[in-house]
C-alpha cells in the first residue's frame, strides 16, 4: 500500500443508480500522495463589516426566533447566514433552550425554507462547515437520505482527498449512524484509503489528543498495520502527556484492535497505570466498562492485558467507596476470571471477598 502505487477509482455515479445528475469522482493514490482534480468552486460572497442579520441569528435565544428571521430574510441570505442559522438551531436544540421539539423544527415551513436556502449556497461552504452541517442536520433528525444531506455528501466525496486527518475521523464519526446509501458507502470506502495515504506525512506526532482520535479510528477499521504501529509508537513516545481521560480512550482502542501491534503492550500498561493512579476520579460504571474490556481481551489469550495494580485498584475502589453489594459481587466475579490472581495471598481481592461474605 505504501510502496506500490495504487490507483483506486470510486465512481459515485455508478453507486448511485437511483440518483441522477451526480458527477463521477476519481481518487488517485500514488506514492503515498493523493491527487484530486479540483473544480472551480464559487467564491464566498463578501460580507459587510457589521452584518445585522448575522448578529441577529447568532444571538437568538429560541429556535423560533431563528426560523422567523429565516422566513423574513431568506431572499437576502448568503452562505454564512444559512450556515449560522442551522448552527444556532443545533446549539439551541442541544442545550434545550428552545420552545420547539426537533420534530416541530424539521416539520416547520420555515425550516424547509432554510434547507432550500442552504442548498442554494452549499457550494460556498468550506469543508469544515459541510461536515458540521451534516452533524447539525443529523442531530435534529434530518435523515441521511434527504436531499440536503445527500448533496453535502456528494460535495464531500468530490473533495475527499482534500480532507485532513482530523476531518476524516470527524466525518467518519458523524456518519456512523447514517443509513446505508450509495454515497455513504462510497465515502466509508474512501476515508480509510485517504487516511492511510495522508497519515505518515501529515500526522502531528506530538499532539496526543489527535493521536488518541487517530488510534480510535484505526482500531475499528481494516487499516494497514504500518499506520496503526505509527500511531502507537508516537503515543508511546509521548506517554507522559497522557491523562486519565485519554488513557480510557487508548485502552478501549487497544481492546478494539483485532491483532497485536508492536509497542501496544507498553502503551497499554502505561495507560492502565494512569487509570490506576486516577481511579478515584472515575465512576463505578467507567471502571466496570474498562474492566470488562480488559477481561474480554485477556480471556481471548492476550495475557499482557493482565495488570495486577489496576485489578487491585478496582477492589480497593469497591471497598473504599462502599459500593453496593451488587456492584461488589459483579466486580469480584470478573476479577475471579483473571487466573493469575492468588487468593491465598492477602490482597484487596481477598478483603473484598471477605467483606462480601459477611
Amino acid at each position: 500500500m505504501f510502496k506500490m502505487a495504487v490507483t483506486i477509482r470510486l465512481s459515485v455515479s455508478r453507486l448511485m443508480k437511483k440518483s441522477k445528475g451526480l458527477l463521477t469522482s476519481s481518487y488517485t493514490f500514488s506514492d503515498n500522495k493523493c491527487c484530486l482534480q479540483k473544480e472551480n468552486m464559487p467564491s464566498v460572497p463578501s460580507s459587510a463589516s457589521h452584518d445585522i442579520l448575522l448578529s441577529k441569528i447568532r444571538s437568538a435565544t429560541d429556535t423560533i426566533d431563528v426560523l422567523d428571521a429565516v422566513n423574513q430574510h431568506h431572499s437576502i441570505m448568503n452562505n454564512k447566514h444559512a450556515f449560522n442559522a442551522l448552527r444556532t438551531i443545533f446549539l439551541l436544540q442541544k442545550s434545550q433552550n428552545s420552545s420547539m421539539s426537533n420534530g416541530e423544527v424539521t416539520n416547520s415551513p420555515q425550516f424547509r425554507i432554510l434547507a432550500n436556502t442552504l442548498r442554494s449556497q452549499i457550494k460556498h461552504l468550506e469543508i469544515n462547515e459541510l461536515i458540521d452541517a451534516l452533524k447539525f442536520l443529523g442531530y435534529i433528525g434530518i435523515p441521511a437520505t434527504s436531499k440536503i444531506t445527500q448533496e453535502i455528501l456528494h460535495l464531500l466525496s468530490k473533495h475527499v482527498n482534500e480532507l485532513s486527518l482530523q476531518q476524516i475521523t470527524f466525518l467518519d464519526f458523524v456518519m456512523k449512524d447514517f443509513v446505508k446509501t450509495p454515497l455513504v458507502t462510497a465515502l466509508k470506502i474512501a476515508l480509510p484509503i485517504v487516511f492511510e495515504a495522508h497519515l505518515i506525512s501529515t500526522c502531528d506526532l506530538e499532539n496526543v489528543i489527535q493521536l488518541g482520535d487517530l488510534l480510535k479510528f484505526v482500531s475499528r477499521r481494516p487499516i494497514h498495520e504500518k499506520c496503526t504501529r505509527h500511531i502507537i509508537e508516537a503515543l508511546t513516545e509521548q506517554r507522559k502527556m497522557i491523562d486519565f481521560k485519554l488513557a480510557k480512550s487508548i485502552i478501549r482502542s487497544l481492546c478494539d484492535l483485532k491483532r497485536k501491534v508492536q509497542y501496544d503492550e507498553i502503551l497499554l500498561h502505561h495507560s492502565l497505570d494512569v487509570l490506576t493512579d486516577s481511579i478515584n476520579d472515575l465512576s463505578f460504571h467507567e471502571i466496570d466498562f474498562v474492566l470488562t474490556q480488559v477481561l474480554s481481551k485477556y480471556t481471548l489469550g492476550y495475557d499482557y492485558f493482565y495488570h495486577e495494580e489496576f485489578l487491585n485498584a478496582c477492589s480497593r475502589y469497591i471497598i473504599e467507596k462502599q459500593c453496593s453489594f451488587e456492584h461488589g459481587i459483579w466486580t469480584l466475579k470478573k476479577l475471579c476470571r483473571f487466573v493469575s490472581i492468588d487468593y491465598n495471598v492477602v490482597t484487596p481481592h481477598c478483603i473484598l471477598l471477605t467483606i462480601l461474605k459477611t
Side-chain angles (χ1 to χ4, degrees):
M1 176 69 193
F2 288 86
K3 296 181 179 179
M4 180 176 62
V6 180
T7 300
I8 298 176
R9 292 186 176 273
L10 297 177
S11 178
V12 177
S13 60
R14 284 205 308 271
L15 289 171
M16 298 191 63
K17 294 181 180 179
K18 296 182 180 180
S19 301
K20 296 181 180 179
L22 295 181
L23 300 177
T24 299
S25 298
S26 296
Y27 313 118
T28 303
F29 301 88
S30 179
D31 297 330
N32 297 339
K33 296 181 181 179
C34 301
C35 302
L36 174 65
Q37 185 176 0
K38 297 182 181 179
E39 296 182 6
N40 293 327
M41 295 293 292
S43 58
V44 179
S46 59
S47 57
S49 58
H50 180 62
D51 192 324
I52 297 176
L53 177 57
L54 188 59
S55 298
K56 182 178 181 180
I57 290 171
R58 287 175 171 172
S59 61
T61 57
D62 195 315
T63 299
I64 196 169
D65 297 330
V66 181
L67 294 176
D68 284 343
V70 170
N71 191 45
Q72 294 177 37
H73 305 292
H74 64 89
S75 61
I76 62 170
M77 289 176 68
N78 61 24
N79 59 312
K80 295 300 179 185
H81 297 135
F83 174 78
N84 278 278
L86 180 61
R87 180 178 181 273
T88 302
I89 289 173
F90 163 76
L91 293 174
L92 290 170
Q93 295 301 120
K94 186 177 181 181
S95 62
Q96 298 183 339
N97 291 326
S98 173
S99 59
M100 304 175 70
S101 67
N102 285 348
E104 290 172 333
V105 172
T106 56
N107 290 323
S108 67
Q110 296 94 330
F111 186 82
R112 285 194 287 273
I113 293 173
L114 173 59
N116 288 331
T117 304
L118 188 62
R119 287 176 62 195
S120 70
Q121 299 287 340
I122 207 165
K123 290 186 178 180
H124 298 284
L125 296 181
E126 298 176 358
I127 287 179
N128 279 337
E129 292 174 329
L130 289 171
I131 299 173
D132 280 341
L134 282 180
K135 180 181 75 171
F136 303 157
L137 291 167
Y139 180 84
I140 61 177
I142 300 299
T145 53
S146 65
K147 288 183 179 180
I148 186 169
T149 300
Q150 287 293 298
E151 288 182 17
I152 294 174
L153 290 172
H154 178 234
L155 195 54
L156 286 170
S157 72
K158 290 172 62 178
H159 298 278
V160 67
N161 284 327
E162 299 172 16
L163 299 179
S164 67
L165 294 174
Q166 186 175 4
Q167 289 169 337
I168 289 171
T169 56
F170 185 51
L171 176 57
D172 181 79
F173 171 77
V174 170
M175 294 196 304
K176 67 183 177 67
D177 294 325
F178 280 13
V179 297
K180 185 179 292 186
T181 69
L183 272 173
V184 171
T185 300
L187 275 169
K188 286 188 174 182
I189 292 172
L191 290 180
I193 299 172
V194 180
F195 180 93
E196 288 185 356
H198 287 348
L199 178 67
I200 304 298
S201 60
T202 63
C203 179
D204 183 354
L205 300 180
E206 296 182 356
N207 186 337
V208 292
I209 301 300
Q210 184 190 59
L211 288 169
D213 290 338
L214 300 183
L215 181 61
K216 185 186 301 182
F217 179 82
V218 302
S219 67
R220 300 172 189 176
R221 284 154 195 84
I223 299 293
H224 196 286
E225 184 177 337
K226 183 177 180 180
C227 291
T228 307
R229 187 169 64 249
H230 185 74
I231 297 168
I232 289 177
E233 286 179 7
L235 278 168
T236 303
E237 287 291 324
Q238 299 293 328
R239 59 186 180 274
K240 291 183 179 179
M241 303 298 294
I242 296 174
D243 61 14
F244 79 93
K245 290 183 180 179
L246 181 55
K248 281 195 305 176
S249 174
I250 290 172
I251 293 167
R252 179 172 184 174
S253 296
L254 293 176
C255 288
D256 286 336
L257 284 174
K258 302 302 182 185
R259 60 187 180 278
K260 190 181 187 313
V261 179
Q262 189 177 9
Y263 301 114
D264 66 341
E265 184 173 346
I266 298 173
L267 182 60
L268 171 69
H269 282 214
H270 179 79
S271 299
L272 285 169
D273 285 341
V274 172
L275 218 57
T276 299
D277 293 339
S278 306
I279 200 161
N280 288 327
D281 296 324
L282 304 176
S283 68
F284 168 79
H285 296 290
E286 288 176 309
I287 295 171
D288 180 66
F289 182 77
V290 175
L291 180 61
T292 301
Q293 287 194 308
V294 171
L295 174 61
S296 177
K297 291 293 285 189
Y298 178 80
T299 54
L300 288 175
Y302 296 88
D303 293 343
Y304 63 94
F305 274 79
Y306 176 82
H307 189 281
E308 187 170 353
E309 290 78 10
F310 173 68
L311 301 182
N312 286 339
C314 290
S315 292
R316 284 196 300 270
Y317 182 94
I318 298 296
I319 297 168
E320 294 172 3
K321 296 288 186 178
Q322 298 183 346
C323 294
S324 68
F325 178 81
E326 290 78 10
H327 285 169
I329 289 293
W330 183 250
T331 302
L332 187 60
K333 181 180 178 180
K334 293 178 181 179
L335 292 173
C336 288
R337 296 183 64 187
F338 287 92
V339 296
S340 297
I341 295 176
D342 184 359
Y343 285 93
N344 293 317
V345 179
V346 178
T347 65
H349 315 309
C350 299
I351 298 172
L352 175 59
L353 180 60
T354 302
I355 292 174
L356 292 174
K357 283 182 176 180
T358 59

